[in-house]
Amino acid sequence: MKQIFNELKSQPVIATVTIAGTALAIFLIMIVVMMQQVKTESFGQEPNRDRMLYLENLQVKGTGENGWAMASRLSSHAISQIFDNLEGVELYTTYGGIATVPVGVKGTPQLRTSLRQTDPTYWRVFAHNFIAGHPYDSVMCANGDKNVVITRGIARRYWTSPEQAVGKELWVNRTPYTVIGVVGDVSPLATEAFAQIWTPYKPDKPDDGPNGFTGGYCAAALVDRSSTNSQVKDATDRRVAEINTRLSSAEFEINTLYHPFDQEQMAIDTEWGSEPDVKGERKRRYILYLILLIIPAVNLAGMTQSRLRHRKAEIGVRRAFGAPRGRIIRSILTENLVITLIGGILGLAFSLAFAYLFAPLVFADSKSMFQSMETAPIADISAMFHWSTFILALIFCFILNFLSAGIPAIHASRINTVNAINGNER
């Protein structure tokens, strides 16, 4: 180790550039990996993303002579028709999209916040932490009670503590509601669990709308642990086929447009009504990882070769005193590994700091950015960093080490002893 640090001191410019290059490589690949992980891995209020299926769109098409078609989100009636007692579904919830509405307390300025309407099961599918109070239940929804659940941030704007907010009146879109629960703040990166205030949804009647199946809601189904996402998707297709058989006399049919989507499919931007190209997206991502791996490795190999040119005489002397080639190769690899680890640790630290400070800019996709336009975005470090990412970064350090130092080390160990001492290449 003394030899390694003395060598770094003797060539400060080359050592600095090498460490900086490694740090930059780790920084880039960490950011890219975290950008993907924050969209697909479980965290915070969405702890079961690997078992979630989402149904957001529905097409209704006429089968008679006058063909017609319309598409939108679903009615609560349609969602219950599809998911009620569906094989493999543990729970499902019906909820609306994000709406920006004014809220406030009498005598105070109104604040524009993000509202979501949900059914009572929403609080069981997603893991919101209730700091005070409780969620609304099915009885409250059926009675049409004006109840609202708010986040800690909203509660602190109008009351000194979340506990004091429970039972108080809050005006939501010029309508008085009673605060019955306060939950922790939610990051917009948790796209389906995010909101600042939640109110009970209004179930659609089967005869609402032109066909009773289109509406303003979407659904999230939690797959039970004994089933797989693909099995539930197949069960959904069979259920839709059964519904269409019953609807044949009404001369129209429904189409879920490749839904339900799993979390990885939801993270892919696709044209409306198209199936996400999961394989193509993975292929592009792996190619990007490979580019981020190879380019720094080539540059670091050149830097390693430059360092070794200054040490040919030293290698020759070591060979003359009986050092075997294997030991020389191991010492060079060890030296480069230490440099790579130093750069890797710096790159990891920089990537975490960058992720924390610029999370809304770097990690938010179009959906989460839309949801957070009227709110202060929350940088949830648990959503950005996982131990798997850290292990991947360490593996990346080792790969960089062998790619950038292995070949130069083998070449250096094969230099003729006399020529090496004299400063010759061969």
Side-chain angles (χ1 to χ4, degrees):
M1 295 302 296
K2 288 182 179 179
Q3 180 184 358
I4 291 173
F5 285 107
N6 286 333
E7 179 62 28
L8 294 178
K9 290 180 182 179
S10 66
Q11 302 184 59
V13 176
I14 295 178
T16 301
V17 173
T18 303
I19 292 174
T22 305
L24 179 61
I26 295 295
F27 171 82
L28 291 175
I29 199 166
M30 284 288 294
I31 291 295
V32 171
V33 171
M34 286 193 290
M35 287 176 64
Q36 177 61 26
Q37 284 188 327
V38 81
K39 296 178 183 179
T40 57
E41 292 206 6
S42 303
F43 75 94
Q45 291 81 11
E46 298 183 1
N48 298 304
R49 281 182 163 185
D50 57 325
R51 296 196 292 136
M52 296 297 295
L53 290 176
Y54 304 95
L55 181 59
E56 290 193 328
N57 297 320
L58 184 76
Q59 183 187 57
V60 182
K61 184 171 60 174
T63 57
E65 294 181 358
N66 297 324
W68 56 273
M70 62 182 299
S72 71
R73 289 192 171 181
L74 296 83
S75 66
S76 59
H77 166 69
I79 293 172
S80 62
Q81 288 282 305
I82 294 173
F83 281 133
D84 269 355
N85 300 316
L86 186 67
E87 181 182 0
V89 173
E90 180 179 327
L91 291 170
Y92 77 89
T93 177
T94 302
Y95 56 96
I98 291 293
T100 303
V101 298
V103 302
V105 175
K106 279 191 174 181
T108 62
Q110 290 192 331
L111 173 71
R112 294 181 66 83
T113 60
S114 300
L115 175 144
R116 192 190 293 274
Q117 290 184 321
T118 75
D119 65 0
T121 314
Y122 182 87
W123 306 107
R124 298 167 60 194
V125 174
F126 298 107
H128 293 82
N129 177 32
F130 274 83
I131 303 169
H134 55 82
Y136 40 79
D137 55 28
S138 56
V139 175
M140 296 177 182
C141 289
N143 295 337
D145 295 344
K146 298 296 184 180
N147 295 323
V148 62
V149 174
I150 64 177
T151 61
R152 187 206 312 260
I154 299 298
R156 286 181 172 175
R157 281 183 174 268
Y158 300 108
W159 298 281
T160 56
S161 68
E163 291 75 13
Q164 290 187 352
V166 177
K168 299 297 193 302
E169 184 180 76
L170 182 70
W171 285 74
V172 179
N173 203 18
R174 301 176 181 84
T175 303
Y177 280 75
T178 301
V179 178
I180 63 170
V182 180
V183 299
D185 293 327
V186 186
S187 171
L189 301 176
T191 53
E192 307 307 310
F194 173 77
Q196 289 181 296
I197 58 176
W198 295 263
T199 59
Y201 83 133
K202 300 175 182 178
D204 300 304
K205 297 179 181 179
D207 55 352
D208 285 349
N211 50 66
F213 282 85
T214 56
Y217 296 111
C218 50
L222 180 63
V223 178
D224 64 44
R225 298 187 183 279
S226 62
S227 304
T228 64
N229 290 354
S230 60
Q231 289 174 339
V232 175
K233 286 184 179 183
D234 293 339
T236 304
D237 292 339
R238 291 193 295 270
R239 177 65 62 85
V240 170
E242 294 173 3
I243 294 173
N244 285 333
T245 300
R246 296 198 302 268
L247 295 176
S248 58
S249 59
E251 296 188 342
F252 73 90
E253 64 181 14
I254 63 173
N255 181 2
T256 57
L257 301 172
Y258 304 104
H259 284 72
F261 288 167
D262 59 26
Q263 189 66 40
E264 187 176 8
Q265 291 174 312
M266 288 283 287
I268 300 174
D269 290 330
T270 56
E271 294 183 4
W272 190 90
S274 301
E275 184 177 12
D277 184 10
V278 175
K279 291 183 178 179
E281 182 68 20
R282 288 178 181 174
K283 182 179 179 180
R284 287 187 290 270
R285 191 161 64 245
Y286 294 151
I287 291 174
L288 178 59
Y289 293 163
L290 187 62
I291 292 174
L292 292 176
L293 175 66
I294 291 177
I295 293 179
V298 172
N299 293 331
L300 291 175
M303 298 301 297
T304 302
Q305 187 68 43
S306 177
R307 291 205 317 271
L308 292 178
R309 286 197 190 99
H310 293 81
R311 301 178 59 190
K312 285 183 294 186
E314 172 199 331
I315 294 173
V317 171
R318 293 179 64 185
R319 288 294 309 279
F321 277 87
R325 290 180 177 178
R327 184 169 182 177
I328 292 176
I329 293 175
R330 286 196 302 271
S331 65
I332 295 174
L333 289 176
T334 302
E335 176 185 328
N336 206 65
L337 177 60
V338 171
I339 295 174
T340 305
L341 286 176
I342 294 173
I345 293 172
L346 290 176
L348 182 63
F350 290 150
S351 64
L352 291 178
F354 187 84
Y356 183 80
L357 295 174
F358 301 100
L361 176 65
V362 177
F363 298 102
D365 57 14
S366 57
K367 189 173 184 179
S368 59
M369 286 193 69
F370 169 77
Q371 293 181 162
S372 62
M373 281 193 302
E374 301 292 341
T375 65
I378 304 167
D380 189 342
I381 198 65
S382 66
M384 305 172 215
F385 176 73
H386 296 270
W387 284 110
S388 59
T389 311
F390 180 67
I391 293 172
L392 178 62
L394 289 180
I395 293 174
F396 184 58
C397 286
F398 287 113
I399 294 175
L400 274 180
N401 175 67
F402 283 105
L403 288 179
S404 61
I407 296 176
I410 294 172
H411 177 71
S413 68
R414 290 179 177 176
I415 297 176
N416 181 273
T417 303
V418 177
N419 290 336
I421 296 174
N422 292 330
N424 298 325
E425 290 291 334
R426 296 182 181 179

